[in-house]
Amino acid sequence: MIYSALSLSSTGVGSHNMHLSYIFSGLVEIPSYFLIPAAIDWLGRKPSVMVCHLILAFSLLSMYLFDHEADPEIFLIIWLIAKFAVASAFMLCFVYGAELFPTNCSYGIYLFFKYLFYALCSFICTILTTILPETKENDSVPRSQQQSLA
């Protein structure tokens, strides 16, 4: 949830250039792909998850207490630390969660039902997406935060 929230807000932080902020948002995740496997080997899974969540909590608290209009560059740096921490925690959840709750559905009839269930979920998502409006070349859809608030 926090990962999605930070990703969705990526174009409105720090720099006045929303494209540059979005690029930074993606680039800050790349180090986590290299550092987290090393952290897992060095600290272990549980401490790595705890450290990532602690860094994320302090970063988000700093963002709440910090005036982002006074110094947007400092705010962007804090936001990028938060995005790095949440991307790391998100990646760790896959590793740690798979080990905490191992599931073996790779044989016999279970394999058939697993893919049938995934197909059903995908089909339901397809049907539900038809309810949503098309945003391509639609001038009534807000393109910025200011337009959304107006």
Side-chain angles (χ1 to χ4, degrees):
M1 182 175 72
I2 298 169
Y3 179 85
S4 294
L6 287 175
S7 294
L8 290 172
S9 67
S10 64
T11 58
V13 295
S15 171
H16 295 292
N17 185 341
M18 66 179 176
H19 300 293
L20 187 60
S21 294
Y22 186 72
I23 289 170
F24 284 151
S25 169
L27 290 177
V28 77
E29 292 185 29
I30 294 173
S32 70
Y33 301 136
F34 297 102
L35 295 176
I36 291 306
I40 289 172
D41 287 341
W42 185 55
L43 295 173
R45 280 112 173 106
K46 185 176 177 179
S48 297
V49 171
M50 292 172 61
V51 166
C52 288
H53 283 287
L54 191 61
I55 292 170
L56 177 62
F58 281 121
S59 299
L60 292 172
L61 183 62
S62 299
M63 289 169 53
Y64 174 75
L65 299 173
F66 192 83
D67 182 15
H68 70 280
E69 293 179 2
D71 201 356
E73 289 79 18
I74 299 289
F75 187 81
L76 177 63
I77 291 170
I78 295 170
W79 187 91
L80 290 172
I81 292 170
K83 182 71 187 300
F84 168 79
V86 76
S88 299
F90 189 68
M91 184 170 57
L92 279 163
C93 286
F94 287 109
V95 175
Y96 192 45
E99 292 174 355
L100 281 177
F101 310 106
T103 307
N104 188 356
C105 296
S106 61
Y107 55 88
I109 195 165
Y110 298 116
L111 181 64
F112 172 75
F113 284 122
K114 177 174 69 171
Y115 293 126
L116 182 63
F117 175 75
Y118 295 154
L120 181 63
C121 289
S122 296
F123 183 70
I124 290 170
C125 289
T126 302
I127 298 300
L128 291 175
T129 303
T130 62
I131 299 169
L132 299 173
E134 175 59 58
T135 58
K136 182 180 178 185
E137 299 176 14
N138 186 350
D139 293 333
S140 65
V141 176
R143 300 287 180 197
S144 68
Q145 185 178 13
Q146 290 80 13
Q147 289 175 348
S148 296
L149 296 174

